[in-house]
Amino acid sequence: VFRVECVLFAIVKFGLVPPNAPEGYASDMPSYAGKLTDRQIENVLAWIESQWSPETRQRRAEMLQRR
């Protein structure tokens, strides 16, 4: 799993809080821990990615290759 997937998973699970946001950052992104299972979060993120255009998928693949 690439780091970006881990960050996205953590943001969905715990909300936009440190270490994925600056200390004291006010965000409307809620935590889904206790509302969605880890598997459900993974499925949501996979569905979102499946909706990306071919161009977006290509740019992301190129970005990940540079890592």
Side-chain angles (χ1 to χ4, degrees), residues 25-64:
Y25 180 75
S27 171
D28 291 333
M29 178 64 191
S31 165
Y32 286 92
K35 296 178 180 98
L36 297 176
T37 66
D38 288 358
R39 174 57 97 185
Q40 288 171 319
I41 293 171
E42 291 166 355
N43 289 342
V44 167
L45 292 174
W47 181 83
I48 291 169
E49 185 174 344
S50 77
Q51 303 304 299
W52 292 349
S53 68
E55 295 81 14
T56 299
R57 290 179 197 209
Q58 180 62 37
R59 283 194 307 261
R60 183 162 187 259
E62 291 167 1
M63 178 189 75
L64 292 175

